[in-house]
Amino acid sequence: MNNMVIFPILLPFISGILLLFFRNLKVQKTFSVLSLSASTLLALYLIADVYTNGIRTLDVSNWAAPFGITIVADMLSSILVLTTNIIALCVVIYSFNSIGKEREKFYYYPVFQMLLIGVNGAFLTGDIFNLFVFFEVMLMSSYVLLVLGGTKIQLRETIKYILVNVISSALFVIAVAYLYSVVGTLNMAHLSERIAEIGQPGIITVIAVLFLIVFGLKGAVFPLFFWLPGSYYAAPAPVLALFGALLTKVGVYSITRTYTLMFYHDTDYTHTLLSWIAIATIIIGVIGAIAYWDIKKIVIYNIIIAVGVIVYGVSLFNEAGTNGAVLYLVHDMIIKAALFLLIGIMAKIAGTSDLRKMSGLIKEFPVVGWTFFVAAISLAGIPPLSGFAGKLLIVQGSIEAGDYFGTFIILGSSLIVLYSIMKVFINGFWGVPMKIENKQTKTVNMLLVPAMVLVAISLAFGLGLEKLLPYFSQATETLMNPDLYIDAVLKE
Amino acid sequence: MKTNDVILQTATKVVSLVIVLFSIRLFFSGHYYAGGGFVGGLMTSAAIVLIMVAYDMKTVRAMLPINYRILIGVGLLTAVSTGLIAVFQGDPFLTHYYGYFDLPILGKTSLHTAALFDLGVYLVVVGVTMTIIQSIGESE
């Protein structure tokens, strides 16, 4: 019994409901910030608690483990919940000065909170059907956030986005139905135990691949990424930051969870497939990242690369690879949010997101420029910064596994990531200063604060990694030993 | 030509009451028989929609001056509060309590906090359905 575990889900829920009643914008803003700060502190407490006491579980409604819904906070979930809340706090502060009155009046902040219920819930749940429900909560809020404002491009892209996600949700239900008919349980720990008993026959491998298709559609891996560039392009900057940082990562987390907790008995097939898909994802992302001259598009394709890198780390299924994947996942959530906020600022200053039409921004906005530079080299993984350790461990893992081709692709992709993001920096910030119409220095400074906070957190993450590593190794330990998770949930 | 729908309107006056009573019955029978908050809520909104068809939006708004969006919030709040009762009692979230009570007219009755949760569902369903129908009906 530990109700603290469910409060990262309940807090945004309660504040989302209350925001439906209080339509005054000042109240909405203050309340959003208060609630998100409280969730952040709560997540910190949760991490400390899990670190000392091991995995914390809550049997909702007081029904014992396989029969009720269990909320499970292991170290990975707790870290991801903390990251989510920090990002959401920064994005909501960024929204104050950028999203505009029109959207704010139409339930922007309540829906924002609802999205967080979905994301936090997906990270914390220990039940596969409950995971589906939280996916839907997250997706429905994301539909609203994507279409809110009602411009032509938003309407068109939302249709595509909804269509793809409705299909993938239906597949999710079908996959759960298959799994339920084979093993007869929905609790993840119990599922894992029963799959281990029957030793993953062919049908379970088929279901594992079906889950890969479902989560791959959410997380945008190679053949299933087609919807992402267009849909994300339509969203306004803070919504884009939220989507880019959180939504695809929930898909990646679900792949990680299912492939390390349940479907790990036939790694020859499933994990080899996963690694090929991951490599193809990286290659596609790399091609997209160098092809475009639009700053939004470049960073959007960088999401796809990062998803590929993380999934590749998971597919290695060894200590170093998994640890690297977890580190890189957290790093990437923070840095992608920061980058989207920063390119939002760039687009606001220049009045366009076309790279060829902007130049010399550093003359007028030096702080924006150098913050972007730090974020850019952090993304590429230059040693003292946060992207380094994760990729290093993934490379170490892939060499241990003897997959030199994968190693080469990971290292090569870093180079191209650096090229693509430096292209933005060099063309956007250097060169002859462009004529900037209606310079809004004050607004830009207000927008810059949350972006700088995120970059600072990313810097601290890179520099203070020594201190954080025990937490991440605990997360990896649970992933590599499903028995720890099963014992904690089923209390054997 | 002005249409004459006296028959429809008179029938509505009788039928809508029956529908509302049936929806309440469905709502309360949910624990032991088929029914519950979801179908009860749908049935109630069906009654309101029938009145909308027979009369018009304005009449309905004068009759039931409810902001259905607020109703969604109230329903959600009811459901969450039911779960929070357990938290304050020191039990896991959403633990339900029940007991048998001797009520003045009804006699021995079993009361269960799950009914409060169902009430939340009922309000949300009515609120959502009516919001959808109202906003589509009023958009030009």
Side-chain angles (χ1 to χ4, degrees), chain A residues 1 3 6-7 10 13-14 17-18 20-21 58-62 107 114, chain B residues 69-70 72-74 76-77 80 84 86-87 90-96:
Chain A
M1 211 296 290
N3 273 313
I6 204 171
F7 269 87
L10 275 184
F13 193 20
I14 295 170
I17 295 168
L18 291 179
L20 290 175
F21 295 111
L58 172 71
D59 295 328
V60 177
S61 303
N62 218 358
Y107 299 100
M114 300 290 168
Chain B
R69 290 181 209 164
I70 297 294
I72 301 174
V74 173
L76 287 173
L77 209 57
V80 175
L84 286 176
V87 174
D91 286 326
F93 181 69
L94 268 179
T95 307
H96 288 292

Side-chain angles (χ1 to χ4, degrees), chain A residues 21 42 48 62 112-113 128 157 178 222 232 273 303 310 325 369 422 451-452 459 464 469 479:
Chain A
F21 295 111
L42 190 68
N62 218 358
F112 193 101
Q113 298 287 336
I128 197 103
E157 296 302 334
Y178 278 141
F222 160 59
Y232 280 21
L273 178 70
I303 301 178
I310 300 164
M422 277 303 143
M452 280 176 85
L459 268 178
L469 220 48
L479 287 180

